[in-house]
Amino acid sequence: MPTSPKSAQLAAPLLQRFEHVRAQSLAFAAPLSDADATAQSMPDASPAKWHLAHTTWFWETFLLGPLAPGYDLFDDRFGYLFNSYYDAVGDRHPRPQRGLLTRPDLDTVKAYRAHVDAAMATLLTDGIDADTASLIELGLAHEEQHQELLLTDILHLFSQNMLQPAYKAPEPLAAADAEHGASVWCAVNGGIIEIGAAADGFAFDCERPRHKTYLEPFQLAHRSVTNRDWAEFIADGGYETSSLWLSDGWATAQAEHWSAPLYWFQRDDEWWSMTLRGPQPVDLDAPVCHVSFYEADAFASWAQARLPSEAEWEYAAHSMTDSTGAFVDGGRLRPARQSEANGTAFAGLFGDVWEWTATPFRPYPGFVAPAGAVGEYNGKFMSGQYVLKGGSCASPMGHVRASYRNFFHPDKRWQFSGLRLARDA
Amino acid sequence: MPTSPKSAQLAAPLLQRFEHVRAQSLAFAAPLSDADATAQSMPDASPAKWHLAHTTWFWETFLLGPLAPGYDLFDDRFGYLFNSYYDAVGDRHPRPQRGLLTRPDLDTVKAYRAHVDAAMATLLTDGIDADTASLIELGLAHEEQHQELLLTDILHLFSQNMLQPAYKAPEPLAAADAEHGASVWCAVNGGIIEIGAAADGFAFDCERPRHKTYLEPFQLAHRSVTNRDWAEFIADGGYETSSLWLSDGWATAQAEHWSAPLYWFQRDDEWWSMTLRGPQPVDLDAPVCHVSFYEADAFASWAQARLPSEAEWEYAAHSMTDSTGAFVDGGRLRPARQSEANGTAFAGLFGDVWEWTATPFRPYPGFVAPAGAVGEYNGKFMSGQYVLKGGSCASPMGHVRASYRNFFHPDKRWQFSGLRLARDA
Amino acid sequence: MPTSPKSAQLAAPLLQRFEHVRAQSLAFAAPLSDADATAQSMPDASPAKWHLAHTTWFWETFLLGPLAPGYDLFDDRFGYLFNSYYDAVGDRHPRPQRGLLTRPDLDTVKAYRAHVDAAMATLLTDGIDADTASLIELGLAHEEQHQELLLTDILHLFSQNMLQPAYKAPEPLAAADAEHGASVWCAVNGGIIEIGAAADGFAFDCERPRHKTYLEPFQLAHRSVTNRDWAEFIADGGYETSSLWLSDGWATAQAEHWSAPLYWFQRDDEWWSMTLRGPQPVDLDAPVCHVSFYEADAFASWAQARLPSEAEWEYAAHSMTDSTGAFVDGGRLRPARQSEANGTAFAGLFGDVWEWTATPFRPYPGFVAPAGAVGEYNGKFMSGQYVLKGGSCASPMGHVRASYRNFFHPDKRWQFSGLRLARDA
Amino acid sequence: MPTSPKSAQLAAPLLQRFEHVRAQSLAFAAPLSDADATAQSMPDASPAKWHLAHTTWFWETFLLGPLAPGYDLFDDRFGYLFNSYYDAVGDRHPRPQRGLLTRPDLDTVKAYRAHVDAAMATLLTDGIDADTASLIELGLAHEEQHQELLLTDILHLFSQNMLQPAYKAPEPLAAADAEHGASVWCAVNGGIIEIGAAADGFAFDCERPRHKTYLEPFQLAHRSVTNRDWAEFIADGGYETSSLWLSDGWATAQAEHWSAPLYWFQRDDEWWSMTLRGPQPVDLDAPVCHVSFYEADAFASWAQARLPSEAEWEYAAHSMTDSTGAFVDGGRLRPARQSEANGTAFAGLFGDVWEWTATPFRPYPGFVAPAGAVGEYNGKFMSGQYVLKGGSCASPMGHVRASYRNFFHPDKRWQFSGLRLARDA
């Protein structure tokens, strides 16, 4: 195989982004003690320290190992400890026991990060070829995914503690410019459309290939479902009415005694919620968050509507994105507003909550997983999960694009997940 | 609501079919002792006696109760015992404990059937309206589904017994006219096509509405995967190669120690299989059967192909069906052969094995579940399962149509389930 | 090893008893259908058919196989199907799946019994030596144990069916001559006493060796705890008061939602119970039955008393037995009454309910398990269980002796188990 | 109730001991990071931080709350977080989730300890009555129990980490003066003996009342079973021979894949063990440690011996103790040697490993649990566990006395538990 030429031009902006993303991960962990960063609150979640180390292992394993001659592993046992699920790379520490890794401690993990960062800087300074640049793009996107997971996992951990500690966000999140009014249906034309990421530019493998699909005309709500809407659903007996629910959803709701979104509780007859800023009264005008697919689906039944398919959602979002598919928005994490999509306006498609779609996470027509271990990145998870679109308040901006396919099992609630209603035209 | 007119013309052919289907259910149970008909081998399966009683309860609950004035319940406790999953109808005996119902005994269940049959004959003789006719069509289709389940469940029960008893089929199944040759790829054009059942004629709710969808050109194997193919997959380490498998599939295969299709075992270095006729040597030229979706998907990866989508499968099958969508074939359960589909020839699309598709069982665009308890028939199961198409050697002919959507969870193996390969054009 | 002489004198009475016990087992199964006899209601219980076959396997395996030259196995696969727990004898069908053995059917099992009975009759007619006589005694006692288990297991099975069928006992059990009055404390002197079976005569291995132990003076209630007593315990919140319970008992009671003895339910504000004769009103003057050790212990705490130790119980029962340790009583299953034990009178020590003692089932000082597979009879279960004494209404008379050690885990409730209170002098 | 007189004389030595024990707990935690002290490796174990806080809660709840007027709770939520199992005191944090309590952090727990220590010093300086002195004795013994548990739990935590970190003991444990020779049987006479703690002096409630029991003559090994002995058991197939094992033990050993003591592993064909000092080669002459009751029982069967009863063990140990029942020995944790017990000599009865006995942990004749919440200390656990005697290298000296009754379930292996053989005379 002919080696593609190395380029310093490719490397320079990537190094800058690399440094930014890596610093960002540390910033997310800054409010945490060693113990906070070590504990694992459930098998679905991972310790913050593990996120910091696993993302570092990714660089070491997929970039430095193969591409940096003479690179010294920081600790040859870390491959076992911090591999997540790559069978091709070897055995690994059992996932449900990640919280037992009190060693290496947080300082050692930070030293591990510094060691790998230095080697990556050298690699990038030496110049890289196009394939390596793609791998680095993947590593950056991977690390950004884990930044959001770090936050969802810490929130879950703190919610298990009756002290309800507050995670001190490095910068307070701007209050959303809430949509007070009723939900408005926006009509979207159907026909043969295209979804999926274009061939150039970074996207995860599962976003490709861009392909045609057929849509009937449909309607999409101009805003996502709010906490006020959800409180009505609860008050109307939504959690006690089996006919609204999928069979598996009802069984789960009964077994786990669901009666409200994950972090909601009642204090003095008002709804409160555990948040990253500690317990807070529920803002009734904000999008509902921390609901499962099963709950979202039951809510939609109750509202005599349905969830949008992934294709409907993505098609509606198209005119809010530029020619490369990236979300056009100036400020970080500010919800999009008043953009025009096929003559209709949508609010908060990006950056408030991940929105559950009705679409199981399956390969796109023509999908082929990449060769080698990184081929395990998404492909092997394409069963039993549902697609979420848009991005949440905790999503790095680099993840906000119409073709992005987030996915979780239908019973999961600890992500920043909400919904937007659709219906047939 | 104005009552639609009663018609004896509608009723006469239905009564004939009713009597035929009811007699067929009893014929399927004829080789079974009371104990055989009572045992439940796993929560997924039901006792034969339960199938006989539950299908009878369906007529009693949805037809006789609402529509036959003065009908006397055979036993008012049977509603609790033989309701399957209709929440709207009331509480029910726990599914995993159906095998504990040694009473009522088989003779009492047969008396229950006779009681209901007589009342149904009276109802039909009196004439019925069109809505009732539709409900009866549903009841017949429902009972035919349970006939196939009765067979799959008995096979599973007998397979758990080291005596490996033979179920004595009322008429020996004709040996399939096996396809000895290599699999041939048949090209199918894409475009906007239609799938789903037409608006008139009987179909389950989930087969509707007929709707447009878009397909890229693709290729479909002219025959399903054979036991010979599968033996090669085994010999090539298919069950030990994690990279071929979906993550959930691999976890299941490891936990349940899968190393061959469900009923295969080795005797004197040859593959045998437990069947309804007792243990038999595996016929290498017959379609592989009793594999899960996970196994089917792994096999397809190994064969550098994929499973067809439901739409691809159904579209390919269209030219083998008549204008009503029903399968055009003379003899019962004889596999279709040499028909032309878009200029290509497919073998065994119907009547050999159910073929797993790549498509999760989800509602069609525009799907609305019927009002009332029968609305629970399919809709609430539209999550977590995959569509199978075609029909097996155990499927009643009334079920063999292109739009039929069978569905099971991806780890299930005890149905007569196999696969056919597809690939991109 | 010199062979001990064969004796026809030894054999004749054993043959008579053998025929009686074997006939009795069939009589217990007579009211059952094939399906009743096949179902298994929980892993702790076994199907009636299995009891009939397993006891037959015992004779075949431990008597006929080694001792009857030329004996032909009825079916060489039955060893796998009907071995209970003898590791030394080989692999076996998994216990929790005994209910799946619809074949062999009940008639075949009866033919199996007849085959073995005929061979045993020949063996006994030919005369036997003393060691063989001992093994036959063990086989008879073993079969009698299973007769009681057959009844407890059928009751449990029928209790799981909302039809609450009645097992038609071959002869109605005589109503107990109930003790209406208050419980009276009877004083018993302490000192060095002896418990355990004497060296001669039949007893299970675990009843030996007879040995000295030391008792402080104590008091024992003259009757067992009644349903009336238990209803007071319930009414006083016994099932809701954690301080009365052992920690494991409380956890079990909460997890399994215990609020009354196993088969009790309320109808029109009165206590009813499922019994072998179907649902019956609770007889408040009869001994409470179907309570676990945990419940018995909590009741004793509530009554400011305690359970007797095994030694206390057995010592108190001594004067009610003859010199061989056998219970002196004329009629079958009639509760003992008004006998004198150390100057005190006890009622119902034998033949009403098994009485939980405070004593874990552990080997007696000097206990040695017999060599060979029969050494697995009791010894390997001597951990985690508690001793029950006396015998129930369902116990064959041959089992009613002071030294008998019945044993079950402390959470088990489906046996005919009650209690009698004790306290320090 | 008349108040008993307060005494400064009673208080002074207790204050000194209090300060010593409290300082000792902190010393045990000194080598641990906040994360080490927070993690919980299994539901049986507790985090070190939890041990530090729970013992402090004990003083606050049972001493300061009732007895120190005006005492201010350090944090009124700690009662919920750090109650272990006292139902009478109120609800509590779920035991299996103690490892999620990253807050309060270790420094806060230390501040909690200081707050309580200061209040306790004031209480003691003011003088206390005899009842309070008894409670303080209990609190000290309680805290010492948790010191040993802290060590066993940390070892288990570190053993789950492939980095196998070493806990840096504050002072290295003296190497035992190992017994190289063969085990010698020492004869002990039987008769009526007494066991249990005398009425005066501190002992846990379960050690009382002192009472008579009867023993046959027996023999006890002069030393405990060594690692060399155990390696022979392994080499001889002890872990693969079901006939040596109790039924529950065999099931556990198979399910958990036991093939050696808990922390043993093989490196270069030699046995190594994870220890508090990290991985170490197994010292073949040291007592075997980290074996369960089930393993100990199977080993004894293999050695054609048995475990001693608690009474046998305690009686044999009597002459090694002074008139108050306390172990007579000069140096901390040094195993006793060459003392005379009924004319025989025993080594290592105290201070090497806890020795499993054959005796289930049940109440002594005449046992009455104290009134109030401290009555839950031992009494409610008197079922399903076995008594261990002697004390381990990790046991505080205050716990080394003949009457001490340690107890664990028969499948537990993470304590410092070994065994000594006995046999009938």
Side-chain angles (χ1 to χ4, degrees), chain B residues 270-295:
Chain B
E270 293 201 5
W271 285 115
W272 283 61
S273 179
M274 176 64 182
T275 78
L276 285 170
R277 280 166 285 168
Q280 301 287 340
V282 166
D283 175 359
L284 292 172
D285 294 313
V288 70
C289 195
H290 300 300
V291 296
S292 64
F293 170 84
Y294 289 140
E295 286 163 291

Side-chain angles (χ1 to χ4, degrees), chain A residues 36 77 102-103 161 163, chain D residues 36 40 77 102-103 161 163:
Chain A
D36 292 336
R77 300 167 302 179
T102 60
R103 317 286 179 92
N161 190 333
L163 301 183
Chain D
D36 292 336
Q40 178 182 33
R77 301 167 302 180
T102 60
R103 317 286 179 93
N161 190 332
L163 301 184

Side-chain angles (χ1 to χ4, degrees), chain B residues 138-158:
Chain B
L138 179 63
L140 292 171
H142 172 257
E143 184 138 358
E144 287 182 327
Q145 286 185 316
H146 279 276
Q147 289 169 4
E148 178 161 357
L149 291 173
L150 185 153
L151 291 178
T152 57
D153 294 354
I154 280 292
L155 175 55
H156 189 263
L157 172 66
F158 283 0

Side-chain angles (χ1 to χ4, degrees), chain C residues 98-361:
Chain C
R98 287 179 183 165
L100 305 189
L101 299 175
T102 61
R103 317 285 179 92
D105 63 16
L106 186 51
D107 284 343
T108 306
V109 166
K110 287 178 182 170
Y112 178 35
R113 291 182 67 89
H115 175 87
V116 162
D117 288 354
M120 282 295 299
T122 303
L123 181 80
L124 281 156
T125 306
D126 290 351
I128 54 172
D129 62 20
D131 284 354
T132 305
S134 289
L135 259 178
I136 290 174
E137 291 273 10
L138 180 62
L140 292 171
H142 172 257
E143 182 137 359
E144 287 182 328
Q145 286 185 317
H146 279 277
Q147 289 169 3
E148 179 160 359
L149 291 173
L150 185 153
L151 291 177
T152 57
D153 294 354
I154 279 293
L155 175 54
H156 190 263
L157 172 66
F158 284 0
S159 78
Q160 303 296 298
N161 189 332
M162 68 97 78
L163 302 183
Q164 295 187 308
Y167 167 88
K168 289 173 197 70
E171 42 187 299
L173 300 174
D177 182 13
E179 284 292 317
H180 295 276
S183 179
V184 175
W185 291 110
C186 306
V188 185
N189 295 326
I192 292 190
I193 61 140
E194 285 196 357
I195 64 168
D200 52 346
F202 174 76
F204 286 110
D205 55 1
C206 63
E207 300 174 51
R208 293 191 169 119
R210 188 167 178 85
H211 61 282
K212 290 192 177 66
T213 190
Y214 178 83
L215 290 182
E216 293 289 334
F218 66 98
Q219 299 185 352
L220 195 64
H222 90 290
R223 63 159 172 78
S224 56
V225 169
T226 64
N227 290 321
R228 190 184 307 281
D229 298 334
W230 203 272
E232 281 176 34
F233 171 68
I234 295 173
D236 197 38
Y239 280 98
E240 289 95 48
T241 308
S242 70
S243 60
L244 299 172
W245 294 70
L246 286 162
S247 181
D248 288 351
W250 181 247
T252 305
Q254 297 303 105
E256 304 193 358
H257 306 292
W258 290 351
S259 60
L262 175 57
Y263 296 125
W264 287 29
F265 58 95
Q266 284 197 294
R267 183 182 289 174
D268 304 329
D269 280 334
E270 294 202 6
W271 284 116
W272 284 60
S273 181
M274 175 64 182
T275 77
L276 285 170
R277 278 165 288 168
Q280 301 287 340
V282 166
D283 175 359
L284 291 172
D285 295 313
V288 71
C289 196
H290 299 301
V291 295
S292 65
F293 171 85
Y294 289 140
E295 288 163 291
D297 186 83
F299 179 93
S301 294
W302 172 79
Q304 294 179 285
R306 60 174 173 79
L307 297 177
S309 71
E310 177 179 22
E312 289 172 339
W313 195 101
E314 185 169 337
Y315 179 54
H318 273 173
S319 64
M320 302 180 69
T321 57
D322 66 18
S323 61
T324 71
F327 173 45
V328 182
D329 189 73
R332 183 178 172 284
L333 297 187
R334 191 167 57 78
R337 302 253 171 253
Q338 307 304 333
S339 305
E340 294 296 310
N342 294 309
T344 60
F346 296 108
L349 272 183
F350 298 99
D352 279 350
V353 290
W354 288 102
E355 299 185 4
W356 285 109
T357 73
T359 302
F361 181 55

Side-chain angles (χ1 to χ4, degrees), chain C residues 58 85-86 134 137-138 141-142 145 195-199 201-211 310 361-382 401 403-405 407:
Chain C
F58 190 97
Y85 55 67
Y86 296 86
S134 289
E137 291 273 10
L138 180 62
H142 172 257
Q145 286 185 317
I195 64 168
F202 174 76
F204 286 110
D205 55 1
C206 63
E207 300 174 51
R208 293 191 169 119
R210 188 167 178 85
H211 61 282
E310 177 179 22
F361 181 55
R362 292 284 298 154
Y364 279 161
F367 170 78
V368 182
V374 293
E376 300 183 50
Y377 200 97
N378 282 311
K380 72 182 184 183
F381 301 112
M382 289 176 169
R401 60 180 173 270
S403 64
Y404 195 97
R405 312 183 79 191
F407 52 91

Side-chain angles (χ1 to χ4, degrees), chain A residues 84-95:
Chain A
S84 53
Y85 55 67
Y86 295 86
D87 287 321
V89 175
D91 287 342
R92 54 195 175 273
H93 185 78
R95 180 181 179 116

Side-chain angles (χ1 to χ4, degrees), chain D residues 132-393:
Chain D
T132 304
S134 289
L135 260 177
I136 290 174
E137 291 274 10
L138 180 63
L140 292 171
H142 172 256
E143 182 137 358
E144 287 182 327
Q145 286 185 316
H146 279 277
Q147 288 168 4
E148 178 160 358
L149 291 173
L150 185 153
L151 292 178
T152 59
D153 294 355
I154 280 293
L155 176 54
H156 189 264
L157 172 66
F158 283 0
S159 79
Q160 304 296 298
N161 190 332
M162 69 96 81
L163 301 184
Q164 296 188 305
Y167 167 86
K168 290 175 195 67
E171 42 188 298
L173 299 174
D177 182 11
E179 284 290 318
H180 296 273
S183 180
V184 175
W185 291 110
C186 307
V188 185
N189 295 326
I192 294 189
I193 60 140
E194 287 197 357
I195 62 167
D200 52 345
F202 174 76
F204 286 111
D205 55 2
C206 62
E207 299 173 51
R208 294 192 168 117
R210 188 167 179 84
H211 62 283
K212 289 192 178 66
T213 191
Y214 178 82
L215 289 183
E216 295 289 335
F218 66 99
Q219 299 185 350
L220 196 63
H222 91 290
R223 63 159 171 79
S224 55
V225 169
T226 63
N227 290 321
R228 189 184 307 280
D229 299 333
W230 204 271
E232 282 176 32
F233 172 68
I234 296 172
D236 196 39
Y239 280 97
E240 289 95 46
T241 308
S242 70
S243 59
L244 299 172
W245 293 70
L246 287 162
S247 182
D248 289 351
W250 181 247
T252 305
Q254 298 302 106
E256 302 193 1
H257 307 291
W258 291 351
S259 60
L262 175 56
Y263 295 126
W264 287 28
F265 59 95
Q266 284 195 297
R267 182 182 290 173
D268 304 329
D269 282 331
E270 294 202 5
W271 285 115
W272 283 61
S273 180
M274 176 63 181
T275 77
L276 285 169
R277 278 166 287 168
Q280 300 287 340
V282 166
D283 174 359
L284 292 173
D285 294 312
V288 70
C289 195
H290 300 300
V291 295
S292 64
F293 171 84
Y294 290 141
E295 288 163 290
D297 186 84
F299 179 93
S301 294
W302 172 78
Q304 295 179 284
R306 59 175 175 80
L307 297 179
S309 70
E310 177 180 22
E312 289 171 340
W313 194 101
E314 185 168 339
Y315 179 54
H318 273 173
S319 65
M320 303 179 69
T321 57
D322 66 18
S323 61
T324 70
F327 172 46
V328 182
D329 188 72
R332 184 179 172 284
L333 297 188
R334 190 165 58 79
R337 303 249 171 254
Q338 307 304 333
S339 304
E340 294 296 310
N342 293 309
T344 62
F346 296 109
L349 273 182
F350 298 99
D352 279 348
V353 290
W354 288 101
E355 299 185 6
W356 285 108
T357 73
T359 302
F361 181 56
R362 293 284 298 154
Y364 279 160
F367 170 78
V368 182
V374 292
E376 299 183 50
Y377 199 97
N378 284 310
K380 72 182 184 183
F381 301 112
M382 289 177 169
S383 184
Q385 312 201 44
Y386 283 84
V387 173
L388 302 100
K389 303 290 278 192
S392 80
C393 58

